[in-house]
Amino acid sequence: MSRSGTSGRHPLADGHPPDWASGWGQDRYGAFVTLTVGDATQRMRWIAPGSFRMGSPEDEPGRWEDEGPGHAVTLTRGFWLFDTPCTQRLWDAVMADNPSRFRSPDRPVDSVSWNDVQGFLERLNGRIPGLSLGLPTEAQWEHACRAGTETALYSGAIVIEGAKNAPALDAIAWYGGNSGVGFELDDGHDSSGWPEKQHPHTRAGTHPVGRKQPNPWGLHDMLGNVLEWCADGRRDYTADAVTDPRGPETDVAERVLRGGSWIFDARSVRAAIRYRFAPDGRFAYVGFRCASGPA
């Protein structure tokens, strides 16, 4: 479906990036800007408004029932989105601490709750004039992840050969089948007993961001590495077409997480997979990425 949607205007058409941007440009994936905080610089990709098909078809391997029915979604506004999960370097530059289990500056921050992320956003937005970051809605997240595709992965179909063995994931995602390959930290999770791994390994965890192939819009780690918090809660899908949908957003509503993680089975690392946790939940396989403006 169309990426241009209701407005095909280039986000940098007037020759000026947003006031908060420290840099900007265009490459084969599209327009980008950079955000700099202290010694941390984060690239953000432009996600144009448009329409896409949300959810998975009934015959998709590994499908869960809450991924359907598939339905048309239209997003009427474009947004900037981090091209990787938020790194520990950026989190520490804003919050002056690091809650992560798997510590290194270029890895995604992990073990942060949805409520923790709200504190990060408040502090970061207050620090840079004109900046208004939030979390993407679930619909915005899936639109960005799919990048114009309708297959299980943004790289194509998935064939699941074992619980943690789907060869198509290897090039694009850190998941249970490969997250111990090249893992160098001393405090890795014991993966020796994991069944049906694509590659042999005994210690696993997160990996530095941006090491796997990006999707067609230049976004890395949309699948695997860490699950990512969304702004809204889980809505029940219907077959009806919807515009700018949002799930529940009460203070106590469980929030959706998307994308799968380093510890997950292959079936749970697909574009349509949905999880939901309480907003105060913290896990070593959970992180986030930011979108421009209140989502």
Side-chain angles (χ1 to χ4, degrees):
M1 293 187 179
S2 169
R3 186 184 179 191
S4 60
T6 59
S7 173
R9 186 175 185 273
H10 194 285
L12 304 174
D14 59 3
H16 298 287
D19 291 341
W20 46 261
S22 58
W24 58 289
Q26 174 103 17
D27 60 17
R28 64 191 180 98
Y29 297 111
F32 66 85
V33 294
T34 55
L35 171 68
T36 299
V37 183
D39 65 350
T41 296
Q42 175 68 54
R43 178 170 287 192
M44 302 181 73
R45 293 282 177 186
W46 177 247
I47 310 300
S51 298
F52 72 104
R53 190 155 188 84
M54 191 168 185
S56 61
E58 293 184 1
D59 61 351
E60 183 169 297
R63 181 182 190 265
W64 298 98
E65 186 176 354
D66 70 347
E67 297 171 24
H71 55 290
V73 172
T74 297
L75 299 177
T76 60
R77 294 189 302 167
F79 56 98
W80 297 100
L81 185 68
F82 280 17
D83 74 341
T84 68
C86 178
T87 62
Q88 294 173 37
R89 178 179 284 107
L90 178 57
W91 179 276
D92 193 51
V94 175
M95 303 298 284
D97 68 15
N98 185 355
S100 302
R101 172 179 175 178
F102 304 110
R103 294 199 173 190
S104 69
D106 54 353
R107 276 177 161 81
V109 65
D110 66 66
S111 305
V112 290
S113 70
W114 188 91
N115 290 334
D116 294 335
V117 175
Q118 304 314 300
F120 169 87
L121 293 167
E122 181 178 5
R123 186 172 297 185
L124 179 53
N125 287 333
R127 182 168 173 172
I128 300 178
L131 185 64
S132 184
L133 292 181
L135 290 172
T137 66
E138 184 181 17
Q140 288 176 323
W141 188 97
E142 187 167 327
H143 175 52
C145 177
R146 290 191 176 280
T149 68
E150 295 188 0
T151 46
L153 313 176
Y154 45 74
S155 59
I158 189 171
V159 176
I160 299 175
E161 298 183 359
K164 295 184 185 320
N165 186 359
L169 284 171
D170 210 18
I172 64 171
W174 296 109
Y175 78 112
N178 66 6
S179 58
V181 176
F183 185 85
E184 82 286 8
L185 301 182
D186 293 334
D187 61 346
H189 183 89
D190 181 2
S191 60
S192 58
W194 288 0
E196 302 176 327
K197 291 174 291 198
Q198 182 180 357
H199 300 286
H201 54 80
T202 59
R203 290 184 303 119
T206 63
H207 284 255
V209 301
R211 299 288 178 86
K212 293 293 187 178
Q213 294 174 8
N215 77 1
W217 293 350
L219 302 172
H220 293 267
D221 300 313
M222 290 297 286
L223 299 178
N225 221 353
V226 286
L227 266 177
E228 299 180 8
W229 288 110
C230 293
D232 50 343
R234 179 186 176 278
R235 65 183 176 89
D236 292 329
Y237 291 172
T238 71
D240 298 332
V242 291
T243 298
D244 296 327
R246 301 184 73 103
E249 295 179 87
T250 63
D251 289 343
V252 297
E254 292 182 315
R255 259 42 186 203
V256 170
L257 302 97
R258 300 297 301 262
S261 80
W262 61 270
I263 201 171
F264 281 14
D265 288 353
R267 72 176 301 186
S268 294
V269 188
R270 295 173 294 108
I273 193 72
R274 312 174 77 195
Y275 280 80
R276 55 177 173 173
F277 295 153
D280 60 353
R282 297 184 182 91
F283 305 92
Y285 52 85
V286 170
F288 70 100
R289 74 179 71 212
C290 297
S292 65

